[in-house]
Each structure stands twice: as C-alpha cells, then as structure tokens.
C-alpha cells in the first residue's frame, strides 16, 4: 500500500501527481523572520488545509507533494496540514538542483574536495524505509531533476543516487525535465543504464512540450508523462497544454499520462501577488474546474480521465 503522511492507504483515489504544500527558504526564515511572506506554521497549515479541502470537494483524493531537499521540504508542517484535511498527501525524497549540489554533499563523495562515499542514496533510502527526520513519515516517491544545463555532474550524482535508492526500495521515480531540449530522453538513458525499469518513472513537465513525436518516444521507452504544469501558461498556453493531452489520448496514450499543476499552497520563494497576476490559473482547482471540462469537450472520455487521475497513479505506486 502507498505511504502517505498519515500512513499507508489501500487506495489513493483520484490523484494529482506533482504538487507542493510548502516551499520554504530556511536560512531566510531563520535570519529574517519578519519578511513579508511571514511564516507562521499554524496559520499556513490552516490555509493549506482549506485549499486541499476545496480540492476534495472537486473530487480529488490525493496529492503527491514533490517538495524535496533544495525546495525547502519541512515535513512537520505537512504533518500538521494532514491532520486538518481528509486529502491524502504522499511526500517525496530526493534532491532538487539543476547543477551544483549543496555544500554538505558537494564536499563529500566521489570527485569532491574531501572524497569519501556518496551518502545521497543512504539518505534517500532512510527517508523511504525509516521516515523523514524524526517525523516517522515515510517518503513514497523519489525525485531528481535536470534542466536547460543538461545532465551536469551534480545532477548525475543525484540521478545515480535516486536509481540506487529505487533499486533498493522499489519506490517509483519522478523527474523534473526540460522539454524544450528533449531532456527527458537523456534522463531515461541514464536511468536505464543504471538498471532502472523505465516503467517505474514519470518524466515530469513533459506537458510543457507540444511535440507529440518526442512524447511518444518517451512512452515507447516505457515511462509515464507528467502533464503537470497546468496553470503555468508562460511556458505553454492553456490551449497547448489541453490540446497535447487530447492528442495523446486520441493516439491511445491515456494509460501513460498523469495530471497536475506543480502548484504550492504557500511558497516564500516568489511574490504571491506577482504570481497571481502572471499565472491566474496556477492553483489546485484549475484541473477539476477548467482543464477536465475542456478535455471532455475535445473528445477525451471519462474513462480516459479516470485512467490519468486514478488508474495510472495506482499502477505507479503498486
């Protein structure tokens, strides 16, 4: 059974596979606690729970919170949110970087200043098997990233550690990829070379692309497509995001796509008002209220929508 913040559950139900509860900047919060984006755990937890409750009212049962080290993961705060909402929350382990590793890891491990073993995989496995920190919350998914810089040395170390942790624990993998450079293919090549079954991998942000041939190549290699940035319309418009999902469904690929927004309930790394102005649809209710009705208008069936929201997440976590 998949692990959630409140423990294993028999069925995740309708699931958004790439969201975030909190994105925090710990060193900023420690040193300038009076910043405009003031952090108050209880107030923010209540706020986040309200957003998740509204999502539940729209028929979504679970979110996968892909906030890992590098994005301000703080699981005790997510635990409090889970206490306040009936929405299941699956948390992740991994490390988010496009290039350099945090100094703690950059100064240790193969090729580093001081050498020694690479402890990344050890940390990831511990999060999955024993729980994160002292929370007892076990991660249900592994996450790694590469972007416009390609597979840098730092990214490759994370991917290798994620692959090692995956092979030891069986936890599925999701990536952050750069669709404009077809970066998902490079990710697949590396993971496959490390012994990973690409059928246990979600290539994140694949929905930024409108290149059906590229997306079908990712599917042919075995992976799921993360159509997971609905609401971020500066990268790809609402029209393009809906159209490519509809096209892929028409081509018979509903069984290889998952849906999401990549949104945050609270994120101190961006000015909230600027985000609202630039991305008015960047919120948890966009898919159930706007995207799904539009997909249905374009011929996507309820069965295909169920496959993307329920069936595919169920298989990924099986």
């Amino acid at each position: 059974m998949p692990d959630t913040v409140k423990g294993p559950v028999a069925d995740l139900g309708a699931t958004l596979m790439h969201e975030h509860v909190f994105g925090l900047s710990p060193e900023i919060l420690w040193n300038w606690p009076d910043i405009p984006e003031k952090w108050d755990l209880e107030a923010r937890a209540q706020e986040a729970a309200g957003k998740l409750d509204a999502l539940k009212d729209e028929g979504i049962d679970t979110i996968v919170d892909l906030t890992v080290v590098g994005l301000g993961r703080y699981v005790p705060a997510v635990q409090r949110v889970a206490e306040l909402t009936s929405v299941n929350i699956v948390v992740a382990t991994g490390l988010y970087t496009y290039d350099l590793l945090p100094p703690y890891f950059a100064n240790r491990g193969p090729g580093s200043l001081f050498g020694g073993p690479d402890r990344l995989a050890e940390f990831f496995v511990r999060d999955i098997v024993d729980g994160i920190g002292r929370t007892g919350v076990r991660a249900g998914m592994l996450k790694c990233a590469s972007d416009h810089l390609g597979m840098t040395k730092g990214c490759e170390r994370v991917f290798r550690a994620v692959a090692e942790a995956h092979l030891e624990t069986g936890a599925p993998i999701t990536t952050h990829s750069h669709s404009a450079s077809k970066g998902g293919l490079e990710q697949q090549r590396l993971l496959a070379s490390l012994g990973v079954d690409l059928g246990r991998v979600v290539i994140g942000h694949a929905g930024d692309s409108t290149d059906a041939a590229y997306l079908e190549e990712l599917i042919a290699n075995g992976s799921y497509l993360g159509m997971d940035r609905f609401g971020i319309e500066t990268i790809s418009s609402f029209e393009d995001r809906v159209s490519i999902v509809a096209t892929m469904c028409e081509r018979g690929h509903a069984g290889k796509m998952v849906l999401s927004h990549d949104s945050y309930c609270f994120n101190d790394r961006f000015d909230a008002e600027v985000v609202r102005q630039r991305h008015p649809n960047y919120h948890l209710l966009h898919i159930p209220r706007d995207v799904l009705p539009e997909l249905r208008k374009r011929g996507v069936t309820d069965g295909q929508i169920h496959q993307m929201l329920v069936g595919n997440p169920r298989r990924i976590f099986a």
Side-chain angles (χ1 to χ4, degrees):
M1 292 190 293
D3 282 303
T4 73
V5 173
K6 290 193 280 193
V9 297
D11 190 359
L12 296 175
T15 303
L16 299 182
M17 286 289 293
H18 192 135
E19 304 294 347
H20 302 271
V21 179
F22 298 128
L24 304 174
S25 305
E27 288 192 290
I28 303 299
L29 296 176
W30 292 341
N31 292 286
W32 295 285
D34 57 342
I35 59 172
E37 303 82 8
K38 188 173 181 180
W39 170 252
D40 178 282
L41 191 155
E42 185 60 24
R44 294 300 181 182
Q46 294 279 351
E47 179 182 76
K51 293 179 179 181
L52 292 175
D53 287 345
L55 183 63
K56 181 76 171 181
D57 290 342
E58 296 288 343
I60 302 297
D61 304 296
T62 301
I63 66 163
V64 181
D65 179 355
L66 292 179
T67 313
V68 295
V69 172
L71 290 172
R73 184 182 69 175
Y74 185 49
V75 172
V78 182
Q79 278 185 297
R80 179 58 182 144
V81 176
E83 291 172 355
L84 298 168
T85 182
S86 60
V87 173
N88 302 310
I89 304 172
V90 177
V91 297
T93 187
L95 195 149
Y96 185 88
T97 181
Y98 298 164
D99 189 4
L100 302 176
L101 296 176
Y104 182 93
F105 296 108
N107 292 329
R108 295 171 167 86
S112 69
L113 181 62
F114 296 104
D118 191 338
R119 301 192 66 191
L120 279 169
E122 172 194 338
F123 282 30
F124 299 161
V125 169
R126 189 167 70 182
D127 283 356
I128 295 165
V129 174
D130 300 326
I132 297 166
R134 296 181 177 87
T135 66
V137 174
R138 294 190 295 185
M141 197 158 204
L142 286 149
K143 182 181 180 181
C144 44
S146 63
D147 202 79
H148 62 289
L149 298 174
M151 192 61 67
T152 65
K153 289 182 179 179
C155 290
E156 183 174 342
R157 267 188 65 184
V158 177
F159 272 74
R160 288 182 177 277
V162 160
E164 184 179 339
H166 161 77
L167 293 173
E168 184 168 339
T169 67
I173 297 169
T174 192
T175 75
H176 164 109
S177 72
H178 186 247
S179 283
S181 60
K182 300 182 180 181
L185 295 173
E186 183 178 38
Q187 295 179 344
Q188 286 183 318
R189 286 192 292 270
L190 177 57
L191 291 171
S193 75
L194 297 170
V196 173
D197 173 3
L198 295 181
R200 304 300 316 289
V201 177
V202 179
I203 300 298
H205 310 329
D208 290 351
S209 177
T210 57
D211 185 344
Y214 164 61
L215 299 180
E216 288 190 320
E217 188 171 358
L218 294 175
I219 290 173
N221 291 336
S223 298
Y224 291 86
L225 306 180
M227 316 305 270
D228 52 26
R229 276 181 163 174
F230 278 101
I232 304 179
E233 294 169 14
T234 52
I235 297 174
S236 185
S237 69
F238 176 80
E239 169 63 28
D240 284 346
R241 290 189 186 279
V242 170
S243 291
I244 192 62
V245 171
T247 295
M248 299 302 284
C249 284
E250 185 178 353
R251 295 187 180 196
H253 300 306
K256 279 293 188 177
M257 291 187 288
V258 293
L259 305 178
S260 221
H261 306 93
D262 193 13
S263 68
Y264 287 80
C265 294
F266 173 76
N267 183 0
D268 70 15
R269 293 171 301 128
F270 298 99
D271 182 282
E273 186 53 41
V274 172
V275 171
R276 276 191 289 270
Q277 291 174 8
R278 293 185 182 179
H279 304 287
N281 293 321
Y282 181 54
H283 56 79
L284 284 170
L285 303 182
H286 181 45
I287 285 175
R289 289 185 177 177
D290 306 316
V291 175
L292 299 184
E294 188 61 28
L295 287 174
R296 291 185 177 101
K297 287 181 184 178
R298 296 173 190 233
V300 177
T301 68
D302 285 341
Q304 289 172 318
I305 289 171
H306 186 271
Q307 185 69 55
M308 291 186 284
L309 287 176
V310 179
N312 295 340
R314 182 183 292 153
R315 286 163 55 198
I316 290 165
F317 285 107

